[in-house]
Short mmCIF file of all heavy atoms in Angstrom, two decimals:
data_model
loop_
_atom_site.label_atom_id
_atom_site.label_comp_id
_atom_site.label_asym_id
_atom_site.label_seq_id
_atom_site.Cartn_x
_atom_site.Cartn_y
_atom_site.Cartn_z
N LEU A 1 3.79 -9.25 -14.83
CA LEU A 1 2.99 -8.42 -13.93
C LEU A 1 3.15 -6.95 -14.36
O LEU A 1 3.65 -6.12 -13.61
CB LEU A 1 3.45 -8.61 -12.49
CG LEU A 1 2.40 -8.47 -11.40
CD1 LEU A 1 1.29 -9.49 -11.57
CD2 LEU A 1 3.04 -8.67 -10.03
N LYS A 2 2.75 -6.68 -15.60
CA LYS A 2 3.02 -5.37 -16.16
C LYS A 2 1.75 -4.77 -16.73
O LYS A 2 1.05 -5.46 -17.46
CB LYS A 2 4.08 -5.53 -17.27
CG LYS A 2 4.74 -4.24 -17.70
CD LYS A 2 5.88 -4.51 -18.65
CE LYS A 2 6.48 -3.19 -19.10
NZ LYS A 2 7.63 -3.33 -19.95
N PRO A 3 1.42 -3.51 -16.38
CA PRO A 3 2.10 -2.64 -15.43
C PRO A 3 1.70 -3.00 -14.00
O PRO A 3 0.53 -3.33 -13.75
CB PRO A 3 1.60 -1.25 -15.81
CG PRO A 3 0.24 -1.48 -16.38
CD PRO A 3 0.28 -2.84 -17.03
N THR A 4 2.65 -2.91 -13.10
CA THR A 4 2.38 -3.28 -11.70
C THR A 4 1.28 -2.41 -11.09
O THR A 4 0.51 -2.87 -10.25
CB THR A 4 3.66 -3.16 -10.85
OG1 THR A 4 4.24 -1.86 -11.09
CG2 THR A 4 4.68 -4.23 -11.20
N SER A 5 1.19 -1.15 -11.56
CA SER A 5 0.19 -0.23 -11.00
C SER A 5 -1.24 -0.73 -11.26
O SER A 5 -2.14 -0.51 -10.45
CB SER A 5 0.36 1.17 -11.61
OG SER A 5 0.30 1.08 -13.03
N MET A 6 -1.44 -1.42 -12.40
CA MET A 6 -2.78 -1.95 -12.69
C MET A 6 -3.17 -3.02 -11.67
O MET A 6 -4.29 -3.02 -11.16
CB MET A 6 -2.83 -2.56 -14.09
CG MET A 6 -4.18 -3.20 -14.40
SD MET A 6 -4.31 -3.99 -16.00
CE MET A 6 -3.62 -5.60 -15.65
N TYR A 7 -2.23 -3.92 -11.35
CA TYR A 7 -2.53 -4.99 -10.39
C TYR A 7 -2.76 -4.42 -8.99
O TYR A 7 -3.61 -4.90 -8.26
CB TYR A 7 -1.42 -6.05 -10.41
CG TYR A 7 -1.44 -6.81 -11.70
CD1 TYR A 7 -0.67 -6.40 -12.79
CD2 TYR A 7 -2.27 -7.91 -11.87
CE1 TYR A 7 -0.72 -7.08 -14.01
CE2 TYR A 7 -2.33 -8.60 -13.07
CZ TYR A 7 -1.55 -8.17 -14.14
OH TYR A 7 -1.62 -8.84 -15.34
N ARG A 8 -2.00 -3.38 -8.65
CA ARG A 8 -2.23 -2.70 -7.36
C ARG A 8 -3.67 -2.17 -7.31
O ARG A 8 -4.38 -2.36 -6.32
CB ARG A 8 -1.24 -1.54 -7.24
CG ARG A 8 -1.44 -0.64 -6.03
CD ARG A 8 -0.78 0.71 -6.23
NE ARG A 8 -1.43 1.48 -7.29
CZ ARG A 8 -0.80 2.38 -8.05
NH1 ARG A 8 0.47 2.64 -7.87
NH2 ARG A 8 -1.47 3.04 -8.99
N ASP A 9 -4.09 -1.51 -8.38
CA ASP A 9 -5.43 -0.91 -8.41
C ASP A 9 -6.54 -1.96 -8.41
O ASP A 9 -7.46 -1.90 -7.60
CB ASP A 9 -5.59 -0.03 -9.66
CG ASP A 9 -4.76 1.25 -9.59
OD1 ASP A 9 -4.29 1.59 -8.49
OD2 ASP A 9 -4.58 1.89 -10.64
N VAL A 10 -6.47 -2.92 -9.35
CA VAL A 10 -7.59 -3.87 -9.49
C VAL A 10 -7.70 -4.83 -8.31
O VAL A 10 -8.78 -5.35 -8.04
CB VAL A 10 -7.55 -4.65 -10.83
CG1 VAL A 10 -7.57 -3.71 -12.02
CG2 VAL A 10 -6.40 -5.60 -10.91
N LEU A 11 -6.58 -5.06 -7.59
CA LEU A 11 -6.64 -5.94 -6.42
C LEU A 11 -6.92 -5.17 -5.13
O LEU A 11 -7.05 -5.77 -4.06
CB LEU A 11 -5.33 -6.74 -6.29
CG LEU A 11 -5.06 -7.74 -7.42
CD1 LEU A 11 -3.64 -8.30 -7.33
CD2 LEU A 11 -6.08 -8.88 -7.43
N GLY A 12 -6.97 -3.83 -5.22
CA GLY A 12 -7.34 -3.01 -4.06
C GLY A 12 -6.27 -2.94 -3.01
O GLY A 12 -6.56 -2.92 -1.81
N ILE A 13 -4.99 -2.90 -3.43
CA ILE A 13 -3.87 -2.88 -2.47
C ILE A 13 -3.51 -1.43 -2.17
O ILE A 13 -3.25 -0.64 -3.08
CB ILE A 13 -2.66 -3.65 -3.03
CG1 ILE A 13 -3.05 -5.12 -3.23
CG2 ILE A 13 -1.46 -3.53 -2.11
CD1 ILE A 13 -2.09 -5.91 -4.07
N LYS A 14 -3.47 -1.09 -0.88
CA LYS A 14 -3.23 0.31 -0.50
C LYS A 14 -1.76 0.57 -0.14
O LYS A 14 -1.19 1.57 -0.53
CB LYS A 14 -4.14 0.69 0.68
CG LYS A 14 -5.61 0.75 0.30
CD LYS A 14 -5.91 2.00 -0.56
CE LYS A 14 -7.32 1.96 -1.12
NZ LYS A 14 -7.37 1.60 -2.53
N LYS A 15 -1.16 -0.32 0.65
CA LYS A 15 0.24 -0.11 1.06
C LYS A 15 1.12 -1.09 0.28
O LYS A 15 1.02 -2.29 0.50
CB LYS A 15 0.41 -0.34 2.56
CG LYS A 15 -0.27 0.71 3.43
CD LYS A 15 0.21 0.66 4.87
CE LYS A 15 -0.20 -0.65 5.54
NZ LYS A 15 0.18 -0.70 6.96
N ASN A 16 1.95 -0.57 -0.61
CA ASN A 16 2.73 -1.51 -1.43
C ASN A 16 4.02 -0.89 -1.95
O ASN A 16 4.18 0.34 -1.98
CB ASN A 16 1.89 -1.99 -2.61
CG ASN A 16 1.66 -0.90 -3.62
OD1 ASN A 16 1.09 0.13 -3.31
ND2 ASN A 16 2.14 -1.10 -4.83
N ILE A 17 4.92 -1.77 -2.36
CA ILE A 17 6.15 -1.37 -3.05
C ILE A 17 6.12 -2.10 -4.39
O ILE A 17 5.85 -3.30 -4.43
CB ILE A 17 7.41 -1.81 -2.25
CG1 ILE A 17 7.43 -1.11 -0.88
CG2 ILE A 17 8.69 -1.52 -3.03
CD1 ILE A 17 8.38 -1.75 0.13
N GLU A 18 6.38 -1.37 -5.48
CA GLU A 18 6.39 -1.99 -6.82
C GLU A 18 7.82 -2.06 -7.34
O GLU A 18 8.54 -1.07 -7.33
CB GLU A 18 5.53 -1.17 -7.78
CG GLU A 18 4.05 -1.22 -7.44
CD GLU A 18 3.25 -0.16 -8.18
OE1 GLU A 18 3.48 0.02 -9.39
OE2 GLU A 18 2.39 0.49 -7.55
N LYS A 19 8.20 -3.26 -7.78
CA LYS A 19 9.56 -3.46 -8.30
C LYS A 19 9.50 -4.19 -9.64
O LYS A 19 8.69 -5.11 -9.81
CB LYS A 19 10.40 -4.31 -7.33
CG LYS A 19 10.72 -3.63 -6.01
CD LYS A 19 11.93 -2.75 -6.13
CE LYS A 19 12.34 -2.21 -4.75
NZ LYS A 19 13.44 -1.25 -4.87
N GLU A 20 10.37 -3.80 -10.54
CA GLU A 20 10.45 -4.49 -11.83
C GLU A 20 11.93 -4.80 -12.09
O GLU A 20 12.79 -3.95 -11.87
CB GLU A 20 9.92 -3.57 -12.93
CG GLU A 20 9.47 -4.32 -14.17
CD GLU A 20 8.79 -3.39 -15.18
OE1 GLU A 20 8.03 -2.50 -14.78
OE2 GLU A 20 9.07 -3.59 -16.38
N TYR A 21 12.21 -6.04 -12.52
CA TYR A 21 13.59 -6.45 -12.72
C TYR A 21 13.82 -6.92 -14.16
O TYR A 21 12.92 -7.54 -14.75
CB TYR A 21 13.93 -7.61 -11.77
CG TYR A 21 13.75 -7.27 -10.32
CD1 TYR A 21 12.55 -7.56 -9.67
CD2 TYR A 21 14.74 -6.64 -9.59
CE1 TYR A 21 12.34 -7.24 -8.34
CE2 TYR A 21 14.56 -6.31 -8.25
CZ TYR A 21 13.35 -6.61 -7.63
OH TYR A 21 13.17 -6.28 -6.31
N PRO A 22 15.00 -6.65 -14.72
CA PRO A 22 15.28 -7.15 -16.08
C PRO A 22 15.50 -8.66 -16.07
O PRO A 22 15.71 -9.25 -15.01
CB PRO A 22 16.57 -6.42 -16.46
CG PRO A 22 17.24 -6.12 -15.15
CD PRO A 22 16.14 -5.91 -14.16
N SER A 23 15.44 -9.28 -17.23
CA SER A 23 15.68 -10.72 -17.32
C SER A 23 17.11 -11.02 -16.88
O SER A 23 18.05 -10.33 -17.26
CB SER A 23 15.49 -11.17 -18.77
OG SER A 23 16.02 -12.47 -18.93
N PRO A 24 17.30 -12.09 -16.07
CA PRO A 24 18.66 -12.44 -15.63
C PRO A 24 19.43 -13.23 -16.68
O PRO A 24 20.60 -13.55 -16.50
CB PRO A 24 18.39 -13.30 -14.39
CG PRO A 24 17.07 -13.94 -14.66
CD PRO A 24 16.27 -12.98 -15.51
N PHE A 25 18.77 -13.59 -17.81
CA PHE A 25 19.40 -14.44 -18.81
C PHE A 25 20.18 -13.62 -19.84
O PHE A 25 19.83 -12.48 -20.11
CB PHE A 25 18.36 -15.32 -19.50
CG PHE A 25 17.53 -16.14 -18.54
CD1 PHE A 25 16.18 -16.35 -18.75
CD2 PHE A 25 18.11 -16.69 -17.40
CE1 PHE A 25 15.41 -17.10 -17.87
CE2 PHE A 25 17.35 -17.44 -16.51
CZ PHE A 25 16.01 -17.65 -16.73
N PRO A 26 21.24 -14.21 -20.44
CA PRO A 26 22.07 -13.45 -21.39
C PRO A 26 21.25 -12.91 -22.56
O PRO A 26 20.56 -13.68 -23.24
CB PRO A 26 23.09 -14.50 -21.89
CG PRO A 26 23.07 -15.59 -20.87
CD PRO A 26 21.71 -15.59 -20.26
N PRO A 27 21.31 -11.59 -22.82
CA PRO A 27 20.50 -11.01 -23.90
C PRO A 27 20.84 -11.57 -25.28
O PRO A 27 19.97 -11.64 -26.15
CB PRO A 27 20.79 -9.51 -23.81
CG PRO A 27 22.01 -9.38 -22.97
CD PRO A 27 22.08 -10.57 -22.09
N GLU A 28 22.10 -12.00 -25.46
CA GLU A 28 22.50 -12.52 -26.77
C GLU A 28 21.86 -13.87 -27.11
O GLU A 28 21.91 -14.35 -28.24
CB GLU A 28 24.03 -12.62 -26.89
CG GLU A 28 24.72 -13.56 -25.92
CD GLU A 28 25.05 -12.95 -24.56
OE1 GLU A 28 24.55 -11.84 -24.25
OE2 GLU A 28 25.83 -13.58 -23.83
N ASN A 29 21.24 -14.50 -26.11
CA ASN A 29 20.58 -15.79 -26.34
C ASN A 29 19.15 -15.65 -26.86
O ASN A 29 18.50 -16.64 -27.15
CB ASN A 29 20.53 -16.62 -25.03
CG ASN A 29 21.88 -17.25 -24.73
OD1 ASN A 29 22.86 -16.93 -25.38
ND2 ASN A 29 21.92 -18.11 -23.74
#
């Protein structure tokens, strides 16, 4: 869902919170 701002705009959402999280899996894998 990247960038979240695009989905906010194209879906017409006015009141929102945008969050992005890193992968929970070990980076060495």
Side-chain angles (χ1 to χ4, degrees):
L1 211 61
K2 195 172 178 177
T4 50
S5 55
M6 177 182 84
Y7 291 92
R8 174 200 67 208
D9 289 345
V10 302
L11 295 170
I13 297 166
K14 291 287 172 256
K15 291 195 295 184
N16 70 300
I17 298 163
E18 293 166 44
K19 292 276 187 186
E20 202 174 320
Y21 302 94
S23 166
F25 305 142
E28 63 274 13
N29 283 9

